[in-house]
mmCIF file of all heavy atoms in Angstrom:
data_model
loop_
_atom_site.group_PDB
_atom_site.id
_atom_site.type_symbol
_atom_site.label_atom_id
_atom_site.label_comp_id
_atom_site.label_asym_id
_atom_site.label_seq_id
_atom_site.Cartn_x
_atom_site.Cartn_y
_atom_site.Cartn_z
ATOM 1 N N ARG A 30 15.726 23.561 -53.057
ATOM 2 C CA ARG A 30 16.473 24.793 -53.323
ATOM 3 C C ARG A 30 15.613 26.014 -53.017
ATOM 4 O O ARG A 30 16.056 26.971 -52.382
ATOM 5 C CB ARG A 30 16.913 24.852 -54.787
ATOM 6 C CG ARG A 30 18.056 23.969 -55.185
ATOM 7 C CD ARG A 30 18.597 24.438 -56.539
ATOM 8 N NE ARG A 30 19.179 23.351 -57.303
ATOM 9 C CZ ARG A 30 18.561 22.703 -58.286
ATOM 10 N NH1 ARG A 30 17.328 23.040 -58.638
ATOM 11 N NH2 ARG A 30 19.168 21.729 -58.929
ATOM 12 N N ALA A 31 14.386 25.995 -53.505
ATOM 13 C CA ALA A 31 13.477 27.123 -53.287
ATOM 14 C C ALA A 31 13.209 27.335 -51.806
ATOM 15 O O ALA A 31 13.182 28.484 -51.322
ATOM 16 C CB ALA A 31 12.165 26.888 -54.036
ATOM 17 N N GLN A 32 13.024 26.256 -51.059
ATOM 18 C CA GLN A 32 12.788 26.372 -49.621
ATOM 19 C C GLN A 32 13.996 26.962 -48.910
ATOM 20 O O GLN A 32 13.855 27.809 -48.009
ATOM 21 C CB GLN A 32 12.450 24.996 -49.043
ATOM 22 C CG GLN A 32 11.096 24.467 -49.483
ATOM 23 C CD GLN A 32 10.874 23.025 -49.058
ATOM 24 O OE1 GLN A 32 11.822 22.257 -48.863
ATOM 25 N NE2 GLN A 32 9.614 22.633 -48.920
ATOM 26 N N LEU A 33 15.190 26.527 -49.309
ATOM 27 C CA LEU A 33 16.411 27.020 -48.672
ATOM 28 C C LEU A 33 16.609 28.506 -48.956
ATOM 29 O O LEU A 33 16.918 29.290 -48.047
ATOM 30 C CB LEU A 33 17.608 26.210 -49.184
ATOM 31 C CG LEU A 33 18.927 26.333 -48.425
ATOM 32 C CD1 LEU A 33 18.754 25.986 -46.967
ATOM 33 C CD2 LEU A 33 19.983 25.437 -49.072
ATOM 34 N N LYS A 34 16.407 28.918 -50.200
ATOM 35 C CA LYS A 34 16.566 30.332 -50.551
ATOM 36 C C LYS A 34 15.495 31.186 -49.882
ATOM 37 O O LYS A 34 15.796 32.285 -49.383
ATOM 38 C CB LYS A 34 16.513 30.507 -52.068
ATOM 39 C CG LYS A 34 17.731 29.983 -52.791
ATOM 40 C CD LYS A 34 17.727 30.376 -54.254
ATOM 41 C CE LYS A 34 16.600 29.707 -55.006
ATOM 42 N NZ LYS A 34 16.635 30.018 -56.461
ATOM 43 N N ALA A 35 14.267 30.700 -49.854
ATOM 44 C CA ALA A 35 13.195 31.461 -49.226
ATOM 45 C C ALA A 35 13.454 31.633 -47.734
ATOM 46 O O ALA A 35 13.244 32.717 -47.175
ATOM 47 C CB ALA A 35 11.854 30.762 -49.444
ATOM 48 N N GLY A 36 13.914 30.569 -47.082
ATOM 49 C CA GLY A 36 14.224 30.668 -45.659
ATOM 50 C C GLY A 36 15.310 31.694 -45.386
ATOM 51 O O GLY A 36 15.227 32.466 -44.434
ATOM 52 N N LEU A 37 16.337 31.706 -46.241
ATOM 53 C CA LEU A 37 17.411 32.685 -46.100
ATOM 54 C C LEU A 37 16.883 34.105 -46.257
ATOM 55 O O LEU A 37 17.102 34.964 -45.400
ATOM 56 C CB LEU A 37 18.493 32.416 -47.153
ATOM 57 C CG LEU A 37 19.536 33.520 -47.359
ATOM 58 C CD1 LEU A 37 20.441 33.632 -46.150
ATOM 59 C CD2 LEU A 37 20.355 33.253 -48.632
ATOM 60 N N LEU A 38 16.174 34.359 -47.352
ATOM 61 C CA LEU A 38 15.739 35.721 -47.651
ATOM 62 C C LEU A 38 14.668 36.209 -46.687
ATOM 63 O O LEU A 38 14.665 37.373 -46.286
ATOM 64 C CB LEU A 38 15.236 35.793 -49.094
ATOM 65 C CG LEU A 38 16.310 35.506 -50.153
ATOM 66 C CD1 LEU A 38 15.694 35.442 -51.535
ATOM 67 C CD2 LEU A 38 17.406 36.568 -50.103
ATOM 68 N N MET A 39 13.761 35.343 -46.283
ATOM 69 C CA MET A 39 12.740 35.745 -45.319
ATOM 70 C C MET A 39 13.368 36.080 -43.970
ATOM 71 O O MET A 39 12.962 37.030 -43.300
ATOM 72 C CB MET A 39 11.697 34.635 -45.158
ATOM 73 C CG MET A 39 10.800 34.436 -46.359
ATOM 74 S SD MET A 39 9.665 33.046 -46.129
ATOM 75 C CE MET A 39 8.880 32.970 -47.736
ATOM 76 N N GLY A 40 14.377 35.300 -43.589
ATOM 77 C CA GLY A 40 15.054 35.569 -42.324
ATOM 78 C C GLY A 40 15.772 36.892 -42.314
ATOM 79 O O GLY A 40 15.872 37.562 -41.280
ATOM 80 N N LEU A 41 16.265 37.317 -43.476
ATOM 81 C CA LEU A 41 17.016 38.560 -43.566
ATOM 82 C C LEU A 41 16.118 39.791 -43.543
ATOM 83 O O LEU A 41 16.613 40.914 -43.453
ATOM 84 C CB LEU A 41 17.870 38.568 -44.837
ATOM 85 C CG LEU A 41 18.966 37.508 -44.889
ATOM 86 C CD1 LEU A 41 19.808 37.671 -46.136
ATOM 87 C CD2 LEU A 41 19.839 37.549 -43.655
ATOM 88 N N GLU A 42 14.810 39.602 -43.635
ATOM 89 C CA GLU A 42 13.897 40.732 -43.525
ATOM 90 C C GLU A 42 13.738 41.195 -42.086
ATOM 91 O O GLU A 42 13.207 42.269 -41.824
ATOM 92 C CB GLU A 42 12.538 40.365 -44.127
ATOM 93 C CG GLU A 42 12.597 40.171 -45.639
ATOM 94 C CD GLU A 42 11.259 39.811 -46.249
ATOM 95 O OE1 GLU A 42 10.292 39.623 -45.474
ATOM 96 O OE2 GLU A 42 11.169 39.731 -47.482
ATOM 97 N N SER A 43 14.202 40.399 -41.150
ATOM 98 C CA SER A 43 14.186 40.764 -39.732
ATOM 99 C C SER A 43 15.547 41.317 -39.332
ATOM 100 O O SER A 43 16.572 40.690 -39.619
ATOM 101 C CB SER A 43 13.871 39.526 -38.880
ATOM 102 O OG SER A 43 14.353 39.662 -37.565
ATOM 103 N N PRO A 44 15.609 42.472 -38.665
ATOM 104 C CA PRO A 44 16.906 42.986 -38.211
ATOM 105 C C PRO A 44 17.648 42.005 -37.312
ATOM 106 O O PRO A 44 18.870 41.867 -37.416
ATOM 107 C CB PRO A 44 16.529 44.268 -37.462
ATOM 108 C CG PRO A 44 15.233 44.698 -38.041
ATOM 109 C CD PRO A 44 14.511 43.419 -38.372
ATOM 110 N N THR A 45 16.919 41.312 -36.452
ATOM 111 C CA THR A 45 17.563 40.345 -35.567
ATOM 112 C C THR A 45 18.165 39.194 -36.371
ATOM 113 O O THR A 45 19.302 38.778 -36.131
ATOM 114 C CB THR A 45 16.559 39.808 -34.534
ATOM 115 O OG1 THR A 45 15.983 40.898 -33.816
ATOM 116 C CG2 THR A 45 17.238 38.861 -33.557
ATOM 117 N N GLY A 46 17.412 38.676 -37.357
ATOM 118 C CA GLY A 46 17.926 37.614 -38.212
ATOM 119 C C GLY A 46 19.126 38.069 -39.023
ATOM 120 O O GLY A 46 20.088 37.323 -39.214
ATOM 121 N N GLN A 47 19.082 39.312 -39.482
ATOM 122 C CA GLN A 47 20.194 39.865 -40.250
ATOM 123 C C GLN A 47 21.449 39.977 -39.388
ATOM 124 O O GLN A 47 22.549 39.598 -39.816
ATOM 125 C CB GLN A 47 19.799 41.241 -40.779
ATOM 126 C CG GLN A 47 20.848 41.948 -41.604
ATOM 127 C CD GLN A 47 20.998 41.372 -42.984
ATOM 128 O OE1 GLN A 47 21.998 40.722 -43.266
ATOM 129 N NE2 GLN A 47 20.029 41.604 -43.849
ATOM 130 N N ALA A 48 21.305 40.503 -38.172
ATOM 131 C CA ALA A 48 22.459 40.654 -37.278
ATOM 132 C C ALA A 48 23.052 39.295 -36.924
ATOM 133 O O ALA A 48 24.279 39.122 -36.903
ATOM 134 C CB ALA A 48 22.049 41.411 -36.014
ATOM 135 N N GLU A 49 22.181 38.330 -36.654
ATOM 136 C CA GLU A 49 22.631 36.973 -36.328
ATOM 137 C C GLU A 49 23.433 36.382 -37.487
ATOM 138 O O GLU A 49 24.517 35.828 -37.293
ATOM 139 C CB GLU A 49 21.422 36.088 -36.027
ATOM 140 C CG GLU A 49 21.704 34.591 -35.952
ATOM 141 C CD GLU A 49 22.233 34.154 -34.614
ATOM 142 O OE1 GLU A 49 22.068 34.900 -33.636
ATOM 143 O OE2 GLU A 49 22.811 33.055 -34.538
ATOM 144 N N ARG A 50 22.909 36.500 -38.698
ATOM 145 C CA ARG A 50 23.600 35.934 -39.858
ATOM 146 C C ARG A 50 24.955 36.597 -40.064
ATOM 147 O O ARG A 50 25.959 35.920 -40.338
ATOM 148 C CB ARG A 50 22.744 36.088 -41.112
ATOM 149 C CG ARG A 50 23.471 35.627 -42.374
ATOM 150 C CD ARG A 50 22.636 35.782 -43.624
ATOM 151 N NE ARG A 50 23.415 35.431 -44.805
ATOM 152 C CZ ARG A 50 24.130 36.280 -45.536
ATOM 153 N NH1 ARG A 50 24.151 37.573 -45.215
ATOM 154 N NH2 ARG A 50 24.810 35.879 -46.585
ATOM 155 N N MET A 51 25.010 37.925 -39.949
ATOM 156 C CA MET A 51 26.280 38.622 -40.163
ATOM 157 C C MET A 51 27.318 38.191 -39.134
ATOM 158 O O MET A 51 28.480 37.926 -39.476
ATOM 159 C CB MET A 51 26.064 40.140 -40.104
ATOM 160 C CG MET A 51 25.257 40.699 -41.250
ATOM 161 S SD MET A 51 25.261 42.510 -41.308
ATOM 162 C CE MET A 51 24.603 42.942 -39.695
ATOM 163 N N ALA A 52 26.916 38.125 -37.872
ATOM 164 C CA ALA A 52 27.859 37.767 -36.811
ATOM 165 C C ALA A 52 28.378 36.342 -36.991
ATOM 166 O O ALA A 52 29.585 36.085 -36.890
ATOM 167 C CB ALA A 52 27.195 37.925 -35.444
ATOM 168 N N ARG A 53 27.476 35.409 -37.270
ATOM 169 C CA ARG A 53 27.903 34.026 -37.409
ATOM 170 C C ARG A 53 28.744 33.824 -38.674
ATOM 171 O O ARG A 53 29.718 33.083 -38.671
ATOM 172 C CB ARG A 53 26.678 33.091 -37.432
ATOM 173 C CG ARG A 53 25.905 33.075 -36.132
ATOM 174 C CD ARG A 53 26.750 32.562 -34.963
ATOM 175 N NE ARG A 53 27.137 31.176 -35.144
ATOM 176 C CZ ARG A 53 28.373 30.728 -34.969
ATOM 177 N NH1 ARG A 53 29.359 31.562 -34.620
ATOM 178 N NH2 ARG A 53 28.644 29.449 -35.128
ATOM 179 N N SER A 54 28.357 34.476 -39.785
ATOM 180 C CA SER A 54 29.141 34.349 -41.018
ATOM 181 C C SER A 54 30.548 34.893 -40.834
ATOM 182 O O SER A 54 31.529 34.293 -41.279
ATOM 183 C CB SER A 54 28.445 35.099 -42.158
ATOM 184 O OG SER A 54 27.204 34.521 -42.476
ATOM 185 N N LEU A 55 30.644 36.027 -40.163
ATOM 186 C CA LEU A 55 31.951 36.640 -39.932
ATOM 187 C C LEU A 55 32.818 35.754 -39.049
ATOM 188 O O LEU A 55 34.024 35.597 -39.282
ATOM 189 C CB LEU A 55 31.766 38.023 -39.302
ATOM 190 C CG LEU A 55 32.965 38.964 -39.291
ATOM 191 C CD1 LEU A 55 33.495 39.208 -40.697
ATOM 192 C CD2 LEU A 55 32.582 40.289 -38.625
ATOM 193 N N ALA A 56 32.209 35.141 -38.046
ATOM 194 C CA ALA A 56 32.952 34.259 -37.146
ATOM 195 C C ALA A 56 33.420 32.983 -37.861
ATOM 196 O O ALA A 56 34.519 32.495 -37.613
ATOM 197 C CB ALA A 56 32.093 33.894 -35.936
ATOM 198 N N ILE A 57 32.587 32.453 -38.744
ATOM 199 C CA ILE A 57 32.891 31.170 -39.392
ATOM 200 C C ILE A 57 33.806 31.347 -40.596
ATOM 201 O O ILE A 57 34.831 30.673 -40.730
ATOM 202 C CB ILE A 57 31.578 30.477 -39.820
ATOM 203 C CG1 ILE A 57 30.750 30.110 -38.590
ATOM 204 C CG2 ILE A 57 31.878 29.230 -40.654
ATOM 205 C CD1 ILE A 57 29.297 29.801 -38.902
ATOM 206 N N TRP A 58 33.423 32.252 -41.505
ATOM 207 C CA TRP A 58 34.137 32.374 -42.784
ATOM 208 C C TRP A 58 35.014 33.622 -42.888
ATOM 209 O O TRP A 58 35.733 33.786 -43.867
ATOM 210 C CB TRP A 58 33.131 32.386 -43.941
ATOM 211 C CG TRP A 58 32.426 31.079 -44.124
ATOM 212 C CD1 TRP A 58 32.977 29.901 -44.565
ATOM 213 C CD2 TRP A 58 31.045 30.791 -43.882
ATOM 214 N NE1 TRP A 58 32.021 28.907 -44.610
ATOM 215 C CE2 TRP A 58 30.823 29.424 -44.198
ATOM 216 C CE3 TRP A 58 29.966 31.548 -43.424
ATOM 217 C CZ2 TRP A 58 29.572 28.815 -44.072
ATOM 218 C CZ3 TRP A 58 28.727 30.947 -43.299
ATOM 219 C CH2 TRP A 58 28.538 29.594 -43.613
ATOM 220 N N GLY A 59 34.913 34.525 -41.902
ATOM 221 C CA GLY A 59 35.705 35.746 -41.960
ATOM 222 C C GLY A 59 35.156 36.777 -42.921
ATOM 223 O O GLY A 59 35.800 37.798 -43.194
ATOM 224 N N ARG A 60 33.960 36.559 -43.435
ATOM 225 C CA ARG A 60 33.309 37.483 -44.353
ATOM 226 C C ARG A 60 31.807 37.256 -44.287
ATOM 227 O O ARG A 60 31.347 36.246 -43.746
ATOM 228 C CB ARG A 60 33.809 37.298 -45.790
ATOM 229 C CG ARG A 60 33.523 35.914 -46.354
ATOM 230 C CD ARG A 60 34.182 35.690 -47.708
ATOM 231 N NE ARG A 60 33.547 36.499 -48.751
ATOM 232 C CZ ARG A 60 32.577 36.048 -49.549
ATOM 233 N NH1 ARG A 60 32.114 34.808 -49.433
ATOM 234 N NH2 ARG A 60 32.075 36.831 -50.482
ATOM 235 N N VAL A 61 31.059 38.183 -44.864
ATOM 236 C CA VAL A 61 29.606 38.041 -44.948
ATOM 237 C C VAL A 61 29.224 38.042 -46.419
ATOM 238 O O VAL A 61 29.320 39.079 -47.093
ATOM 239 C CB VAL A 61 28.872 39.176 -44.203
ATOM 240 C CG1 VAL A 61 27.360 38.965 -44.282
ATOM 241 C CG2 VAL A 61 29.321 39.241 -42.741
ATOM 242 N N ALA A 62 28.835 36.904 -46.916
ATOM 243 C CA ALA A 62 28.473 36.791 -48.327
ATOM 244 C C ALA A 62 27.149 37.499 -48.592
ATOM 245 O O ALA A 62 26.229 37.466 -47.763
ATOM 246 C CB ALA A 62 28.364 35.327 -48.728
ATOM 247 N N ASP A 63 27.053 38.139 -49.746
ATOM 248 C CA ASP A 63 25.804 38.762 -50.144
ATOM 249 C C ASP A 63 24.758 37.670 -50.382
ATOM 250 O O ASP A 63 25.089 36.584 -50.880
ATOM 251 C CB ASP A 63 26.019 39.568 -51.428
ATOM 252 C CG ASP A 63 24.790 40.369 -51.811
ATOM 253 O OD1 ASP A 63 24.645 41.492 -51.298
ATOM 254 O OD2 ASP A 63 23.976 39.862 -52.619
ATOM 255 N N PRO A 64 23.485 37.928 -50.024
ATOM 256 C CA PRO A 64 22.446 36.909 -50.245
ATOM 257 C C PRO A 64 22.388 36.412 -51.690
ATOM 258 O O PRO A 64 22.106 35.234 -51.934
ATOM 259 C CB PRO A 64 21.161 37.643 -49.851
ATOM 260 C CG PRO A 64 21.594 38.652 -48.843
ATOM 261 C CD PRO A 64 22.952 39.090 -49.290
ATOM 262 N N ALA A 65 22.642 37.307 -52.649
ATOM 263 C CA ALA A 65 22.624 36.888 -54.053
ATOM 264 C C ALA A 65 23.714 35.849 -54.322
ATOM 265 O O ALA A 65 23.509 34.902 -55.102
ATOM 266 C CB ALA A 65 22.802 38.094 -54.964
ATOM 267 N N GLU A 66 24.873 36.011 -53.686
ATOM 268 C CA GLU A 66 25.962 35.041 -53.850
ATOM 269 C C GLU A 66 25.571 33.690 -53.271
ATOM 270 O O GLU A 66 25.828 32.640 -53.875
ATOM 271 C CB GLU A 66 27.223 35.561 -53.154
ATOM 272 C CG GLU A 66 28.397 34.606 -53.207
ATOM 273 C CD GLU A 66 29.577 35.063 -52.365
ATOM 274 O OE1 GLU A 66 29.668 36.289 -52.085
ATOM 275 O OE2 GLU A 66 30.411 34.215 -51.986
ATOM 276 N N VAL A 67 24.934 33.718 -52.086
ATOM 277 C CA VAL A 67 24.499 32.469 -51.465
ATOM 278 C C VAL A 67 23.443 31.791 -52.334
ATOM 279 O O VAL A 67 23.471 30.571 -52.539
ATOM 280 C CB VAL A 67 23.948 32.733 -50.048
ATOM 281 C CG1 VAL A 67 23.420 31.435 -49.431
ATOM 282 C CG2 VAL A 67 25.034 33.326 -49.160
ATOM 283 N N ALA A 68 22.501 32.583 -52.864
ATOM 284 C CA ALA A 68 21.462 32.018 -53.726
ATOM 285 C C ALA A 68 22.078 31.360 -54.959
ATOM 286 O O ALA A 68 21.618 30.290 -55.401
ATOM 287 C CB ALA A 68 20.480 33.110 -54.135
ATOM 288 N N GLU A 69 23.122 31.959 -55.511
ATOM 289 C CA GLU A 69 23.805 31.376 -56.668
ATOM 290 C C GLU A 69 24.436 30.029 -56.313
ATOM 291 O O GLU A 69 24.395 29.076 -57.103
ATOM 292 C CB GLU A 69 24.879 32.330 -57.179
ATOM 293 C CG GLU A 69 24.340 33.545 -57.926
ATOM 294 C CD GLU A 69 25.453 34.465 -58.388
ATOM 295 O OE1 GLU A 69 26.643 34.081 -58.265
ATOM 296 O OE2 GLU A 69 25.140 35.575 -58.865
ATOM 297 N N ARG A 70 25.022 29.961 -55.135
ATOM 298 C CA ARG A 70 25.645 28.700 -54.709
ATOM 299 C C ARG A 70 24.588 27.610 -54.506
ATOM 300 O O ARG A 70 24.828 26.436 -54.803
ATOM 301 C CB ARG A 70 26.432 28.925 -53.419
ATOM 302 C CG ARG A 70 27.646 29.814 -53.608
ATOM 303 C CD ARG A 70 28.451 29.932 -52.328
ATOM 304 N NE ARG A 70 29.596 30.807 -52.502
ATOM 305 C CZ ARG A 70 30.487 31.064 -51.555
ATOM 306 N NH1 ARG A 70 30.352 30.510 -50.350
ATOM 307 N NH2 ARG A 70 31.503 31.870 -51.792
ATOM 308 N N ILE A 71 23.438 28.010 -53.969
ATOM 309 C CA ILE A 71 22.348 27.049 -53.800
ATOM 310 C C ILE A 71 21.854 26.565 -55.155
ATOM 311 O O ILE A 71 21.655 25.366 -55.377
ATOM 312 C CB ILE A 71 21.203 27.688 -52.985
ATOM 313 C CG1 ILE A 71 21.664 27.974 -51.543
ATOM 314 C CG2 ILE A 71 19.965 26.781 -52.981
ATOM 315 C CD1 ILE A 71 20.700 28.823 -50.739
#
């Protein structure tokens, strides 16, 4: 769990990683979940 959350949050510190996540999340789920929401699910 810690590795998964750390990978998510560390990736979001990069603008490129952030843009990639937003685009893919929007394409897949039609929304962009807040990192805190994803961490809660993990």
